[in-house]
Amino acid sequence: MPDLDAARDLLTFIDASPSPFHACATAAARLDGAGFTQITEAEAWATDLPRAYIIRDGSLVAWSTPDDATPITPFRIVGAHTDSPNLRLKPHADVERAGAQLLAVEVYGTVLYNSWLDRDLGLSGRVAVRGGGLPLLRVDRPIARIPQLAIHLDNTVNTAGLVLNAQQHLHPVWAVDNGDFGSFVAQELGVAVEDILAWDLMLHDVNPGTLLGRDDELISAARIDNLCSSWAAIEALVAATSTREIGVAVLFDHEEVGSSSNRGAASPMLESVLERIVLGLGGGREEWRRGLAASMCVSADMAHATHPNYSERHDPGHWIELNGGPVVKHNVSQRYATDARSAAAFIEACERVNVPVQKYVHRNDLPCGSTIGPITAARLGISTVDVGAPQLSMHSARELMGSADVALYRTALTSFLSA
């Protein structure tokens, strides 16, 4: 039987994290409970904080420094991301059409449109209010739904396929009259509507994650990509026991839209934090560069399991099984950052704790997705390996993975950070 305690804990993490901002808050609460201290980037950092973290909006960086660390102590980094493809509210959110009150949404990332149809949707994110406040908002009750067109009005849908236009067909119905989305948000937050200046709000499936299958061997949940990796990174950092390297877990926002933002993997956020850690240890730029030269990063994202109904869409020599252990992802065009050196380091970390490893490559005739791995490798100049836990339904509103893979993934990343 799989370690269902780990699987249930992951589901708790996911359900508490419907937006990147909530994911950071959920991770922060776990770090606080493990003795980490939150610090802010705009203040001077104390030199006696061996376990600390910072939050920048929807991103988080946490680190654990050994007692005998020096300015040239290398870093062991696990990087993941907090964002998932979804539907986000436009600034002018109210739309009236055919006697219904709709919500104007913008597609975030490469969404599987059809997976958002006929789901009960809640609302989450953050709101900017007058005076500088940024309260989090989480509405976990069903308030909206995108109704699919009845088959009587499109009787070829099962044979010709469903075609959805993102501008025309993805507006959720949320009221029959008197929509006024801004007033609803104000009421939920307990503020005056005129004090709301802007928002970063998104929709989410309100149905909680669950164990699934004959013997609970599967997990069905939203945002498995990539909150599973975010959960595993935080859990691994808390449990890691390295005395030779500085352990780091970084959870980036905006991976699903290219990482080019003030808090994405292409930003200087992680680079800045690592340099300030070295400065706190009494080093300078020379020591920082020396430490980086010996450092290593695991880019932890999810991996494609071989789909049993579409096995022809996968490379025939690299089929990936659910509950088969973490996956090392290879791509010679550097869509993944893995090379022989970095792959070997991760495989050996897995061997130390008896975790099986699978190896993935994309078909040559299909475009391959990417991760924070190549960006981080290029930004910091450090050896990086792309890994992930196998899953199905990637980028769906509801995704599927093996329940045994949850504990295996956490164990592998903990071993990597404990090297």
Side-chain angles (χ1 to χ4, degrees), residues 185-206:
V185 171
Q187 181 178 353
E188 290 293 319
L189 288 175
V191 302
V193 65
E194 58 268 21
D195 287 337
I196 292 178
L197 303 178
W199 53 59
D200 298 312
L201 293 174
M202 57 208 73
L203 298 171
H204 66 270
D205 182 355
V206 298

Side-chain angles (χ1 to χ4, degrees), residues 83-252:
D83 61 321
S84 300
N86 60 15
L87 304 176
R88 304 204 172 190
L89 277 297
K90 293 181 178 179
H92 297 296
D94 290 305
V95 176
E96 183 176 354
R97 185 186 301 153
Q101 301 296 318
L102 310 175
L103 294 175
V105 295
E106 189 173 3
V107 173
Y108 178 87
T110 51
V111 172
L112 277 170
Y113 297 162
N114 66 298
S115 70
W116 286 83
L117 303 180
D118 292 329
R119 290 189 181 274
D120 296 334
L121 302 176
L123 182 71
S124 62
R126 68 177 182 178
V127 180
V129 298
R130 200 174 305 280
L134 285 168
L136 297 187
L137 175 65
R138 179 178 171 190
V139 181
D140 262 341
R141 66 185 187 276
I143 64 164
R145 188 179 179 95
I146 307 172
Q148 187 167 186
L149 184 65
I151 195 168
H152 314 80
L153 304 177
D154 183 10
N155 58 18
T156 65
V157 64
N158 288 334
T159 53
L162 177 65
V163 178
L164 296 172
N165 179 281
Q167 179 67 23
Q168 180 70 17
H169 300 140
L170 296 183
H171 293 311
V173 175
W174 84 297
V176 176
D177 54 20
N178 299 323
D180 198 357
F181 181 73
S183 293
F184 171 79
V185 171
Q187 181 178 353
E188 290 293 319
L189 288 175
V191 302
V193 65
E194 58 268 21
D195 287 337
I196 292 178
L197 303 178
W199 53 59
D200 298 312
L201 293 174
M202 57 208 73
L203 298 171
H204 66 270
D205 182 355
V206 298
N207 292 308
T210 184
L211 294 169
L212 182 147
R214 184 192 62 191
D215 298 315
D216 290 336
E217 63 266 48
L218 300 169
I219 285 177
S220 167
R223 302 178 299 282
I224 287 175
D225 175 17
N226 191 29
L227 291 185
C228 177
S229 299
S230 296
W231 169 86
I234 295 299
E235 291 291 299
L237 181 65
V238 168
T241 58
S242 177
T243 59
R244 297 185 301 156
E245 296 173 304
I246 300 170
V248 179
V250 54
L251 313 181
F252 289 111

